[in-house]
Amino acid sequence: MLSFNITVTGHSVITHPAELAVLSLSISDTGKTHTDASNSVKKSVGIIEALLGDKSKTGIDGGIVSWKKQTTPTIGHENRGSMSMSKSLPRVSAGFEITFRDFVLLGSWTASISATPNVNIRSITWKLTNATQKTLETKGRKNCVEDALNKAQDFAEAFGAWREAVKPVELQDSDVTTSASAENGNRGLGRIDSYGKSWESGDTIVFVDEEIRLKSSINVKFIVNGI
């Protein structure tokens, strides 16, 4: 009875709608003095903190999961003017990261914040909850095993062996990679209605959440008996 080994790679790709969105904000300004720039940034930071402290705007049902502020403002300089007439101005920066579970609230927040002086939206990162991430990783591992076994059985059958004769002897795992689909090209901001509009307080931006894609793979060695 002839025995031989088959080594195959099992793959899994699972997609799931994003459940969380992390809004990253940058607050910065320049002034004649560091004090001027700092006061301007503190005023904008205060507006954001006031919004975060307003339960009617953060969502009584937990529309905002959490938020954190860059505690120490970054102080630097910005050069303005031509090379020969360049002037260095004091620049102060701060930042926020706000995690949303309610994407409608994310849209209204983004429009409101966009109208706040000195505030820029750095990025929106789409994520899954930890519980969903773990569940899908478990499902992905099982999918990888099923895919690898089916491939090995197909090869064995092509050589004239029974599919049941295929037995695993070694497995090598690999890391799971997680990414947003980003098919719309807005660099992680999701799809936005009326893209390019100048937003004002009271407007609402409609985000269509990205799909999160989890890719995983394993290498498995099988032994085949029965030819």
Side-chain angles (χ1 to χ4, degrees), residues 137-157:
E137 286 179 2
T138 297
K139 182 179 179 181
R141 285 190 285 269
K142 293 178 179 179
N143 288 351
C144 284
V145 169
E146 182 177 356
D147 183 49
L149 178 59
N150 284 336
K151 286 180 180 178
Q153 288 176 334
D154 288 344
F155 286 130
E157 196 172 45

Side-chain angles (χ1 to χ4, degrees), residues 65-79:
V65 178
S66 63
W67 63 275
K68 61 181 179 180
K69 180 181 70 173
Q70 180 183 329
T71 55
T72 305
T74 301
I75 300 175
H77 288 81
E78 178 177 305
N79 293 323

Side-chain angles (χ1 to χ4, degrees), residues 104 106-109 111-112 193 197 199-206:
V104 174
L106 169 65
S108 60
W109 245 83
S112 297
D193 71 332
K197 174 181 176 180
W199 301 101
E200 298 177 356
S201 181
D203 287 338
T204 298
I205 301 175
V206 178

